[in-house]
Amino acid sequence: MAAGYGELLRTRHAARLLTGTLIGRLPNATAALAVVLFARAEGGSYALAGALSAVYGVANAIGQPLLGRAVDRWGQPRVMLPAAVVSALGMALFAVVGLDPQPVAYAAMLVAGLFTPPLEGGLRALWPDVLRRSDQVHAAYALDAVAQEVMFAVGPLLVTLLVAGWSTAAALLVINAAGVLGALSVVVSPPSRRWRSAPREAHWLGALRSSGMLVLIGSFFFVGTALGAIAVAAVAYADEHGGGLVSSYLLSALGAGALVGGVVYGARPWAGPPERRLRLLVAALAAGYLPLVLVPGVPAMTALAGVAGVFLAPALACAFVVIDRHAPAGTVTEAFSWLVTTFGVGSSVGAAAAGPAVELGGVALGFAVPGAAGVAALVVLLAARRYLGEAPRRTPDGVRQENDRSHAAEPGFRAGHQA
């Protein structure tokens, strides 16, 4: 297992691109916490802090696919680095001006969120050209999903350390400066500078004109809903079971399960259509969420949270493969960015739904929200399975295009992303 990942990371440019992307995504991964901490330190209410964070989140959800489409048209360096700089300047303005005047603070959040570079989608677009072998790309997608779990665990810790050792304003400035450096590391690399999207058909819907893409977006909206709901329900559970670090136990176990599942999943090749495998993985994911409604004692609940996380990273990694197969030619970065957006929006909806559920029916009903969302994600895939078939696509000129680019065990990685 370790040898396979070691070979992947020893491939020229692979470790640099993965590391640069993770550092470049730190501002996005830590924004919710950093903005709230800064607003509170400046004397703002929780309502104001939440509103500012929400503006950032909504703007980010809008900006990711738009910037992803721009990357597909004009390349990564022309879009990623300017966007990272503008986003960082928005956060810097927020750190310098503070909460007064409030319109400026909201404008700063809007700019910072809207111009967050789509590094996540950009990296996934690069993997097939950097690694070439489809079994390595498969492993890279899994490693990407695992690294995402690590980043979302380490990022908030880094913010907390910067706040404790310096200030909340310094935390905003340092994290966003690091984000610009991460984006710079990616876009000056030869793979990023050489990468070109395949020719695309002029269509205002872009990646969304693919029915398969719409199915994936619908399904993973509910996966995001489940995760957002778990975060809120975990806090409510902690309030009834001693408070303190109990909620962090549950969320850490969830992340640890995802890490283990992703590492194991990516360590071996998988035969057969990924669309079929995705349905099985989402079914397992939904089955893992359902027992959370039992809300047993802390040790057992922590174990259940760990099991609930096991199939998350594998499901995401498999979804990346399916996206590459179903995104219309020339829209791959936009397509990956849409998954990021829908996941984030779903998480916000889940958090919003879990609160009233807890107040209405207690912690068990709060944990019923992720269970129901997991089932809904599976129902979407099953009900629309004919739209996620394995038929070859057509290129913009109407020529039939086979999806298997290397005839390896994991089909579906397309050529044509590099000039």
Side-chain angles (χ1 to χ4, degrees):
M1 182 185 299
Y5 286 117
E7 181 186 3
L8 186 159
L9 292 174
R10 285 193 298 271
T11 301
R12 190 180 182 192
H13 305 303
R16 171 183 177 174
L17 289 171
L18 180 61
T19 303
T21 298
L22 289 176
I23 294 174
R25 289 168 56 197
L26 272 175
N28 189 27
T30 59
L33 175 62
V35 168
V36 170
L37 289 177
F38 178 78
R40 291 293 295 158
E42 291 291 304
S45 65
Y46 279 110
L48 176 59
L52 289 168
S53 183
V55 168
Y56 177 93
V58 171
N60 182 265
I62 295 171
Q64 287 292 294
L66 293 178
L67 290 172
R69 182 176 296 194
V71 168
D72 286 327
R73 289 183 175 179
W74 296 304
Q76 294 193 358
R78 292 183 179 181
V79 177
M80 297 275 200
L81 186 58
V85 171
V86 172
S87 178
L89 288 175
M91 276 294 187
L93 175 63
F94 181 56
V96 171
V97 173
L99 303 180
D100 188 23
Q102 284 190 19
V104 174
Y106 279 110
M109 287 296 94
L110 180 66
V111 169
L114 192 63
F115 286 93
T116 299
L119 290 165
E120 190 172 348
L123 176 64
R124 290 163 193 162
L126 289 177
W127 280 136
D129 291 325
V130 172
L131 300 173
R132 301 295 183 180
R133 281 171 34 202
S134 64
D135 61 319
Q136 285 190 320
V137 178
H138 159 85
Y141 283 153
L143 188 62
D144 186 358
V146 167
Q148 179 172 290
E149 295 298 324
V150 174
M151 181 189 66
F152 278 93
V154 172
L157 175 61
L158 179 60
V159 170
T160 303
L161 292 175
L162 286 170
V163 170
W166 208 344
S167 68
T168 53
L172 284 173
L173 294 172
V174 170
I175 290 291
N176 281 272
V180 173
L181 293 177
L184 178 64
S185 175
V186 171
V187 301
V188 299
S189 68
S192 180
R193 288 188 284 109
R194 288 196 305 260
W195 184 86
R196 297 294 182 274
S197 178
R200 62 183 288 145
E201 176 187 350
H203 197 292
W204 69 276
L205 280 175
L208 297 184
R209 69 181 184 272
S210 163
S211 55
M213 277 297 305
L214 295 177
V215 174
L216 283 171
I217 286 174
S219 178
F220 276 82
F221 167 82
F222 288 111
V223 175
T225 300
L227 291 179
I230 287 175
V232 174
V235 174
Y237 177 88
D239 288 342
E240 292 188 1
H241 291 79
L245 297 175
V246 172
S247 61
S248 66
Y249 296 159
L250 301 186
L251 297 179
S252 295
L254 190 75
L259 191 152
V260 171
V263 169
V264 173
Y265 174 81
R268 54 155 293 181
W270 296 88
E275 292 86 356
R276 183 182 309 155
R277 186 165 62 256
L278 181 62
R279 290 191 287 269
L280 294 175
L281 289 170
V282 172
L285 188 65
Y289 290 150
L290 291 172
L292 295 175
V293 300
L294 299 175
V295 289
V298 174
M301 191 64 177
T302 302
L304 287 179
V307 172
V310 166
F311 291 97
L312 175 60
L316 284 171
C318 189
F320 301 155
V321 177
V322 176
I323 284 177
D324 191 73
R325 288 164 61 90
H326 288 268
T331 67
V332 64
T333 309
E334 178 191 345
F336 282 125
S337 299
W338 271 115
L339 187 66
V340 175
T341 287
T342 193
F343 208 79
V345 172
S347 180
S348 298
V349 171
V358 169
E359 293 182 358
L360 180 65
V363 177
L365 189 59
F367 278 111
V369 175
V375 172
L378 176 61
V379 168
V380 170
L381 290 179
L382 293 175
R385 62 189 303 169
R386 69 188 183 95
Y387 296 110
L388 281 178
E390 294 87 46
R393 289 186 300 271
R394 294 182 180 273
T395 58
D397 58 3
V399 177
R400 287 172 67 83
Q401 175 184 346
E402 296 295 337
N403 293 331
D404 188 357
R405 105 184 204 168
S406 62
H407 306 289
E410 177 70 73
F413 301 109
R414 293 178 287 135
H417 297 318
Q418 181 171 322

